[in-house]
Amino acid sequence: MKENHYEVVIIGGGISGSAAAYVLARYTDIKSVAIVEKYEGLSTLNSKCTANSQTIHCGDIETNYTYEKAAVVSKKANMISKYGLQHGLNEKHMFAGQKMAIGVGDEECEKIKARYEEFKTLYPYLEFFDKETLKQIEPKIIFDRDGKERPENVVGMGSRGGQYTTVDYGAFSNSFANNAKAEEGKTCDVYLNSQVTKIANVGGKFYITTKNNLSISADFVLVDAGAHSLYLAHQMGYGLEKSCFPVAGSFYMTKQKLLNGKVYMVQNPKLPFAALHGDPDLAEGWCTRFGPTALVIPQLERYHGHVVTFLEFFKTLRLDSKVISAGFDLLKDSDIRNYILRNFLFEIPLINKSTFIKDVRKIVPSIQPDELRYASGFGGVRPQVVDKIQKKLLLGEASINECPGAIFNMTPSPGATSCLGNAKRDAVEICKYLGKSFNEDKFHAELED
């Protein structure tokens, strides 16, 4: 079989891998790129619209973001909006809408007020919503089923509209790949149904082995394969000081549109995962979806039922005393223990909905059990990386670049939002390694402010 050689091979055809292909094709002088994807299409796992909250996480209403992190994320988030507008994806796969973070009770209300004062300089469009305003723009937050006003003080901060909030990242993935293929003078091939089983570095050239026996080699390999990125890095002997707790997120769907926009709650700073929020679901007629839950599962993927993913999980976990110690350190905190227990109960049939609805009522006090259903088949798996040396979770994105000529990315939220910014970061490194050029001016003019 003839060997197909590329300057760059990207393993993983989700939003991160397809964005990388687009950035390499459009903003560098690299001539040949390939995407190698395990399944029958791009973004069939965590980037498809049912597997995530379809949110552009720009840091304005995510109360677990510091000002410094929000400043970085907002720049990357703007790239998604600018790309969507340039390619006519607005009101097709990208939508503007209302969004807010709310505080319930005096303590949380003070936190929202303080956060608004700090963050309004970073986001000039931010508004502060008192209880009277919320009655008008998001009444389900305030009134119970009898039309009575909830007793707690409630305030919010956010935007009534005009900001792009909701994206079908699966559709964006296909747009990135198609536009990469369309770049004149460039080759961008996409190999589907091609599961990578091994990467071998022989004399600085990388050979990619797949289950369907493709013959592919590369000068540089970029691995954007979610939790499998760490699995493939470990196979090559890299990133051995890192382990992975795959965290599955599930959702509950309402039978109607309950909220006018996205509603987030104040994050408990002790918890490593996002607080529950309500989102209008673009794939379900804008019915409100609540979630995500967070449950560590022994699989690197969800809803595919492959026994092999269990085996890959244990290989990637690399269980030892350091991993166990990191786990016990988390469980020592009662807030974290209770959070883990509640999220376990959210997955158990018969009691899951009655347990979950107690949390939902903090956002919509009037909601009743018959208005909510477990969204079967919704949700994905995010790799929460454990640093075995520091014995702690690494929140956010993680990369392994110990191997010259290869990068392995693990991108939990906000990885989809940051995909173009991350792609730029990697493209600069790839060009440096290959002796190629990155067109900073063109990238800035088209995708940055």
Side-chain angles (χ1 to χ4, degrees):
M1 183 181 295
K2 180 184 176 182
E3 177 186 310
N4 292 312
H5 182 77
Y6 300 88
E7 289 172 275
V8 181
V9 167
I10 301 165
I11 298 173
I15 188 70
S16 294
S18 58
Y22 173 72
V23 169
L24 289 170
R26 182 156 183 82
Y27 302 107
T28 78
D29 55 356
I30 291 170
K31 298 296 184 183
S32 61
V33 177
I35 299 174
V36 183
E37 165 56 36
K38 181 178 182 178
Y39 291 112
E40 69 281 358
L42 300 179
S43 287
T44 64
L45 287 174
N46 297 323
S47 301
K48 67 178 180 178
C49 65
T50 56
N52 54 73
S53 60
Q54 308 164 357
T55 301
I56 299 179
H57 291 287
C58 68
D60 50 3
I61 62 171
E62 291 85 2
T63 62
N64 56 324
Y65 289 16
T66 64
Y67 186 96
E68 291 73 23
K69 180 176 180 178
V72 172
V73 171
S74 65
K75 292 179 180 179
K76 295 180 178 180
N78 286 339
M79 297 176 190
I80 285 287
S81 300
K82 296 193 77 170
Y83 175 89
L85 289 170
Q86 288 168 10
H87 296 279
L89 302 181
N90 49 308
E91 309 314 317
K92 183 179 179 182
H93 300 303
M94 180 178 75
F95 303 88
Q98 182 172 282
K99 59 179 175 177
M100 66 180 69
I102 63 168
V104 178
D106 292 340
E107 183 179 345
E108 288 190 0
C109 288
E110 288 303 316
K111 289 181 179 179
I112 290 293
K113 290 177 183 177
R115 188 174 182 85
Y116 167 73
E117 291 298 329
E118 180 183 10
F119 279 70
K120 65 182 181 181
T121 56
L122 184 58
Y123 306 97
Y125 57 80
L126 276 183
E127 298 180 68
F128 180 80
F129 307 131
D130 60 18
K131 198 171 187 179
E132 290 301 315
T133 304
L134 291 174
K135 288 180 185 179
Q136 304 301 317
I137 65 174
E138 202 64 271
K140 289 288 186 181
I141 293 175
I142 304 300
F143 297 106
D144 64 21
R145 63 181 307 192
D146 298 320
K148 296 180 180 179
E149 185 177 316
R150 68 193 299 175
E152 312 100 321
N153 188 22
V154 184
V155 301
M157 58 176 282
S159 167
R160 302 187 201 210
Q163 302 299 313
Y164 286 100
T165 62
T166 306
V167 166
D168 181 344
Y169 286 109
F172 265 61
S173 297
N174 284 282
S175 175
F176 285 144
N178 290 335
N179 285 319
K181 293 177 185 178
E183 284 294 319
E184 188 175 349
K186 304 293 181 73
T187 297
C188 182
D189 294 331
V190 177
Y191 297 91
L192 302 176
N193 296 306
S194 303
Q195 180 178 349
V196 174
T197 57
K198 184 179 179 182
I199 306 169
N201 184 357
V202 181
K205 184 177 179 181
F206 294 88
Y207 294 87
I208 292 93
T209 302
T210 65
K211 273 194 172 182
N212 59 342
N213 297 317
L214 293 178
S215 180
I216 297 178
S217 62
D219 298 319
F220 197 104
V221 175
L222 176 63
V223 185
D224 280 321
H228 277 93
S229 293
L230 187 57
Y231 174 77
L232 291 171
H234 284 174
Q235 272 194 340
M236 295 185 70
Y238 297 103
L240 299 180
E241 76 288 353
K242 292 180 173 63
S243 183
C244 178
F245 288 153
V247 178
S250 297
F251 294 90
Y252 284 74
M253 191 74 68
T254 62
K255 300 176 181 178
Q256 59 184 314
K257 180 181 178 181
L258 288 184
L259 297 172
N260 293 323
K262 292 181 176 290
V263 178
Y264 281 55
M265 296 196 297
V266 173
Q267 173 81 24
N268 183 337
K270 291 183 180 181
L271 299 177
F273 310 113
L276 180 144
H277 47 81
D279 301 275
D281 192 292
L282 63 84
E284 295 288 322
W286 301 108
C287 290
T288 303
R289 197 208 302 186
F290 290 101
T293 63
L295 182 70
V296 176
I297 63 171
Q299 289 179 280
L300 299 187
E301 296 176 6
R302 204 176 185 194
Y303 301 127
H304 283 274
H306 301 317
V307 175
V308 69
T309 64
F310 288 94
L311 301 176
E312 291 168 345
F313 159 73
F314 286 109
K315 290 180 180 178
T316 306
L317 181 62
R318 295 182 60 83
L319 186 63
D320 59 17
S321 61
K322 294 178 181 177
V323 175
I324 294 171
S325 176
F328 273 113
D329 284 346
L330 289 174
L331 294 174
K332 287 177 183 177
D333 190 290
S334 60
D335 285 354
I336 294 177
R337 283 200 312 273
N338 292 336
Y339 178 82
I340 291 172
L341 175 60
R342 286 204 319 277
N343 278 267
F344 176 74
L345 296 176
F346 294 159
E347 301 288 336
I348 299 177
L350 301 181
I351 67 169
N352 55 355
K353 187 163 68 172
S354 61
T355 307
F356 185 77
I357 203 168
K358 295 176 182 177
D359 285 9
V360 176
R361 282 178 175 155
K362 188 171 180 181
I363 298 177
V364 181
S366 63
I367 195 166
Q368 298 300 306
D370 62 355
E371 296 179 274
L372 204 63
R373 65 176 173 84
Y374 182 83
S376 298
F378 282 66
V381 173
R382 304 293 184 266
Q384 293 295 335
V385 179
V386 178
D387 187 313
K388 297 169 70 171
I389 296 175
Q390 300 182 55
K391 299 181 183 179
K392 68 176 185 179
L393 285 178
L394 298 179
L395 303 182
E397 300 156 2
S399 294
I400 298 169
N401 51 12
E402 304 165 16
C403 175
I407 297 173
F408 303 83
N409 290 323
M410 286 75 69
T411 51
S413 182
T417 297
S418 303
C419 63
L420 286 167
N422 293 343
K424 175 188 176 181
R425 174 201 66 201
D426 292 338
V428 169
E429 289 301 312
I430 291 169
C431 286
K432 187 183 299 183
Y433 179 84
L434 296 178
K436 299 289 184 174
S437 299
F438 180 83
N439 193 330
E440 182 76 46
D441 291 339
K442 185 176 181 180
F443 186 93
H444 180 77
E446 293 185 354
L447 295 177
E448 295 179 319
D449 288 333

